[in-house]
Amino acid sequence: METVPRPGRGPQSKKNKPQAKRKKPRRYWEEETAPTAAGASPGPPRKRKNLELGRHRQKNSHSSKKSWLSKKSQFPRKSQEQKQPGGEKKPGPQRSLSGFQDPFPGPAPVPEEVARKFCRIDRSKELPHSLPKTRSKLEVAERVEEEISAKAARSELLLAEEPGFLEGEDGEDTATIRQADIVEAVDIASAAKHFDLNLRQFGPYRLNYSRTGRHLAFGGRRGHVAALDWVTKKLMCEINVMEAVRDIRFLHSEALLAVAQNRWLRIYDNQGIELHCIRRCDRVTRLEFLPFHFLLATASETGFLTYLDVSVGKIVAALNARAGRLNVMAQNPYNAVIHLGHSNGTVSLWSPSVQEPLVKILCHRGGLQAVAVDSTGTYMATSGLDHQLKIFDLRGTFRPLSARTLPQGAGHLAFSQRGLLAAGMGDVVNIWVGRGKASLPPLEQPYLTHRLAGPVHSLQFCPFEDVLGVGHSGGITSMLVPGAAEPNFDGLESNPYRSRKQRQEWEVKALLEKVPAELICLNPRALAEVDVISLEQRKKERTERLGFDPEAKVPFQPKPKRKGRGSTASLVKRKKKVLDQEHRDKVRQSLEQQQQQQQQQAKPAGVRLSALDRFVR
């Protein structure tokens, strides 16, 4: 007996099941409207046809995959030429993918005076007459230099920071403005940069800022040594070496510290751990570090100037100045030349590659007390026991440009990045300002004046901050000096906000780019010029070694002619003809030179001739 299944129970047969239509997903080009009469959604038929044709070919044909790809670009270029009514084509404006026209087409124009500031090639000198290959290389180098200077001039627009300045009211002298008034007028972040450290029990103090301007190290005469991040006031290390400290310097980074103690020179890390004791540098009085050469220059009581290469730990040179105790030393940041002041009133300039001083300058009638060189290497400021403050020109003349007699001799001098000059006279600090960077500061009226709690023993401007650090017998004082520092810094060279990983990468790069000590000279640009004397000497030695001059002009050898015209007499005749022509050219040149010399020696036409002029040769 068969049972009929109840409705709703058991599976239905596929034949009796109604076929429900599947809802087709809507494409991105379709609108939410009712379907068409055919029941299919409208779409771009041309695209679909091409797609189906491509799939069919890919499946059935054995051709390569590139055969069905379109050779036309996905974004066809719009024609930049527009037709005029006459039928001629006129170039149209360039348009972007969005279809909008660029209102400023082409590269941005660069002013010549701005590009000239970044150019490192002297345009006044013409290219030498050399081989075509050498001349083409020089021309390519000039074009590359032009492009680099133009890019640097364009990127100057991105430097948003501007140097500050201090202006008084109508008729007000800025030297009468106190530090307390400046602190009240500036913002909170700038006001926090002014502080005083009361350390009378360990003074007087010598201080030094790192190259980035973020860290400060100071050492007292009674053995107190400390290093800190002076912006956040975070202490890095603080020790007492139980020995007199005469000077202190950061090395290439804030991780290493050189301290000139009473007996020997010692190297510490930023945790206060002693790493090295250099006994060959004994009784050191002053320290200077050359960052691009990794050289630590030391001046001692015995009169020796010693250069220590901190990258390998070897002494490069030990020079005897033969001038007694060396207590005054400064470096030229432009060419890394060391300036030493002596008790006889002279300043000597030294390089590790030369045993004698490069230049000796008589500056004062008495002994030197302080020497400072500006960041561009143009001016040198000196002060002596004769109470004179002088500024000298270092561009080859070495002559005094300005001088002023002070009521008390300046014991310490310092230049800022923008050319401000600070002088410490007893417990007073005077600051003079120029019209801008690399400008001569006038010495008539001081820009700022500040009185301290004790006699000044050290002065240094903080890099990239309008701050002057002063070490005195009462501790450390940080002064606010508007307009002292360069407002923009190079993040790849001296970045105050770099991390530990960035500092390590910078150290590796700096070591790879280290400049040899033999290249230190008065004029660094002379390294790129041709040394004519050495070139002639090498040419002479080569001629003596080979027995002949390989660059000499080969004598004329006539080529043999056809049969009947190449006799010996004709060859000799042609040789003689060429020799005579060369001789005529030499005689003509010598006569022209003589005429030019006579014209130069001739008297002007307005001068009356005398009877004795006939005997003048």
Side-chain angles (χ1 to χ4, degrees), residues 11 13 112 130 134 170 228 274 305 380 386 438 444 586 608:
S13 62
E112 293 184 1
S130 57
T134 306
D170 296 339
L228 73 156
E274 181 180 342
L305 174 63
M380 176 183 67
D386 56 355
E444 288 78 15
K586 290 181 181 178
R608 186 178 179 182

Side-chain angles (χ1 to χ4, degrees), residues 88-150:
E88 298 179 357
K89 292 184 178 181
K90 179 182 178 181
Q94 295 183 1
R95 295 179 179 272
S96 60
L97 292 176
S98 60
F100 292 100
Q101 180 182 353
D102 187 6
F104 304 102
V110 180
E112 293 184 1
E113 59 274 7
V114 179
R116 196 181 302 114
K117 183 174 63 174
F118 297 97
C119 187
R120 295 176 293 179
I121 293 180
D122 190 3
R123 298 285 182 184
S124 61
K125 297 182 180 179
E126 297 183 357
L127 291 176
H129 297 284
S130 57
L131 298 175
K133 188 175 181 180
T134 306
R135 191 175 184 84
S136 63
K137 288 183 178 179
L138 294 175
E139 292 175 353
V140 169
E142 280 194 357
R143 288 197 296 268
V144 171
E145 181 63 28
E146 287 180 358
E147 294 178 2
I148 293 174
S149 59

Side-chain angles (χ1 to χ4, degrees), residues 556-576:
F556 175 70
Q557 292 291 339
K559 295 181 179 180
K561 293 189 176 182
R562 291 181 298 178
K563 184 177 180 181
R565 298 183 60 186
S567 62
T568 307
S570 63
L571 294 178
V572 173
K573 187 177 180 179
R574 277 190 287 166
K575 279 185 180 181
K576 187 178 180 181

Side-chain angles (χ1 to χ4, degrees), residues 490-508:
D490 186 359
L492 299 178
E493 183 63 31
S494 299
N495 187 3
Y497 309 105
R498 64 187 180 189
S499 61
R500 182 178 179 183
K501 185 67 175 178
Q502 289 175 332
R503 177 178 60 81
Q504 293 173 353
E505 292 178 356
W506 174 86
E507 286 181 1
V508 175

Side-chain angles (χ1 to χ4, degrees), residues 186-256:
V186 298
D187 57 303
I188 299 176
S190 299
K193 298 174 184 178
H194 171 71
F195 58 87
D196 287 304
L197 299 180
N198 188 5
L199 302 169
R200 290 186 175 275
Q201 63 273 25
F202 298 110
Y205 277 86
R206 298 278 301 177
L207 60 85
N208 179 244
Y209 286 98
S210 62
R211 288 192 65 207
T212 59
R214 188 65 185 263
H215 299 84
L216 171 65
F218 51 87
R221 185 68 59 84
R222 299 178 184 175
H224 180 217
V225 176
L228 73 156
D229 185 345
W230 69 272
V231 177
T232 60
K233 310 299 186 296
K234 181 181 179 181
L235 187 65
M236 297 168 58
C237 67
E238 185 177 14
I239 58 175
N240 196 313
V241 297
M242 306 301 293
E243 196 175 5
V245 175
R246 298 181 177 179
D247 204 356
I248 188 169
R249 278 290 181 277
F250 277 112
L251 297 187
H252 57 277
S253 68
E254 61 274 7
L256 293 175

Side-chain angles (χ1 to χ4, degrees), residues 54-70:
R55 290 177 179 174
H56 178 71
R57 288 182 181 176
Q58 184 181 10
K59 184 176 180 181
N60 299 332
S61 65
H62 299 282
S63 60
S64 61
K65 293 183 180 180
K66 294 182 179 179
S67 61
W68 62 275
L69 294 176
S70 175

